[in-house]
């Protein structure tokens, strides 16, 4: 039996393969370069994800340490980071809460310190309420209203409380805001803030109405 047909077929196949190799030989380097580039990008993406996770972990550790130590400077530093992370957002909330607490503690001693604390709280809450997380927005807006109330900015505080009720009507924050709106409509509360506004430095507790 002749092997010539087989040889012809073999030669045809070899020629076809050789032709294909020659045809794509010019594209070999670009293809290899593309594959390498994709591999490098994949590695960079994986590294970036790992680095982001590490950064988030460090931020939460910083948040917990600052909160436990009531360190307002550390909370402020974390909150002012531009990442807009959850940790930085909650740091702003914690900072605002601590500043409000300081203001209430100083209420009967020094109005200047009270105003400074409420102003710091207002700025922290205002930054927090502009972040993406909804719960931070809710807490930030409610805190912003409380800080404005503490500063005697009752009209602005009323608007912020109404914003909480309007945007998040079924939340506990809306219930708190609604209660404050009702309180601010009472004459006794208005009288308290009128009296407080007249005090520049010292606010003797026994000389004025009780805190609403």
């Amino acid at each position: 039996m002749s092997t010539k047909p087989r040889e012809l077929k073999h030669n045809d196949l070899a020629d076809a393969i050789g032709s294909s190799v020659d045809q794509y030989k010019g594209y070999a380097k670009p293809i290899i370069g593309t594959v390498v580039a994709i591999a490098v990008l994949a590695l960079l993406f994986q590294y970036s994800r790992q680095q982001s996770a590490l950064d988030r972990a460090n931020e939460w550790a910083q948040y917990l340490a600052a909160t436990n130590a009531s360190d307002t400077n550390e909370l402020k530093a974390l909150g002012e980071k531009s990442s807009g992370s959850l940790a930085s957002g909650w740091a702003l909330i914690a900072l605002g809460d601590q500043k409000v607490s300081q203001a209430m503690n100083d209420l009967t001693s020094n109005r200047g310190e009270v105003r400074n604390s409420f102003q710091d709280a207002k700025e922290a809450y205002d930054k927090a309420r502009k972040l993406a997380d909804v719960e931070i927005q809710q807490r930030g807006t409610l805190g912003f209203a409380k800080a404005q109330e503490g500063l005697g900015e009752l009209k602005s505080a009323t608007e912020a409380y109404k914003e909480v009720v309007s945007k998040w009507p079924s939340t506990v924050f809306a219930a708190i805001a609604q209660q404050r709106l009702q309180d601010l409509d009472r004459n006794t509360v208005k009288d308290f803030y009128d009296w407080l506004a007249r005090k520049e430095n010292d606010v003797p507790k026994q000389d004025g109405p009780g805190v609403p």
Side-chain angles (χ1 to χ4, degrees), residues 6-187:
R6 292 184 179 178
E7 291 176 359
L8 288 175
K9 288 182 180 179
H10 176 77
N11 291 336
D12 290 342
L13 180 60
D15 290 342
I17 293 173
S19 176
S20 297
V21 170
D22 291 338
Q23 181 180 357
Y24 292 105
K25 188 180 293 183
Y27 298 99
K29 289 184 178 180
I31 290 173
I32 292 173
T34 300
V35 171
V36 171
I38 292 173
V40 170
L41 287 174
L43 289 173
L44 288 174
F45 176 72
Q46 183 65 23
Y47 172 78
S48 176
R49 289 184 61 184
Q50 292 175 349
Q51 189 62 38
S52 295
L54 180 61
D55 290 342
R56 288 195 296 272
N58 288 335
E59 286 184 353
W60 279 117
Q62 184 181 351
Y63 165 78
L64 291 173
T67 303
N68 291 334
S70 298
D71 190 333
T72 55
N73 290 329
E74 282 297 315
L75 288 171
K76 183 177 181 180
L78 177 57
E80 288 179 347
K81 286 186 176 181
S82 59
S83 63
S85 65
L86 284 175
S88 63
W90 283 110
L92 289 169
I93 297 298
L95 174 61
D97 291 348
Q98 291 195 21
K99 287 296 183 177
V100 168
S101 179
Q102 288 178 9
M104 298 306 295
N105 289 336
D106 292 333
L107 192 61
T108 60
S109 59
N110 191 307
R111 179 59 181 164
E113 288 302 316
V114 170
R115 287 196 64 84
N116 289 338
S117 294
F118 274 130
Q119 184 62 39
D120 290 343
K122 175 183 172 181
E123 292 173 2
Y125 288 132
D126 191 33
K127 290 178 182 177
R129 73 195 192 110
K130 295 173 182 175
L131 298 179
D133 184 79
V134 175
E135 188 172 355
I136 291 177
Q137 290 177 14
Q138 295 168 351
R139 286 286 305 275
T141 306
L142 181 63
F144 182 69
K146 287 184 176 181
Q148 287 182 309
E149 183 181 341
L151 289 167
E153 301 170 0
L154 301 187
K155 182 178 180 180
S156 297
T158 298
E159 292 175 355
Y161 283 131
K162 287 181 177 178
E163 181 181 349
V164 175
V165 174
S166 174
K167 282 187 174 180
W168 307 288
S170 60
T171 65
V172 64
F173 307 109
I176 296 171
Q178 187 62 53
Q179 182 60 56
R180 290 312 299 160
L181 286 171
Q182 293 174 8
D183 291 340
L184 288 176
D185 200 38
R186 288 169 22 214
N187 289 332

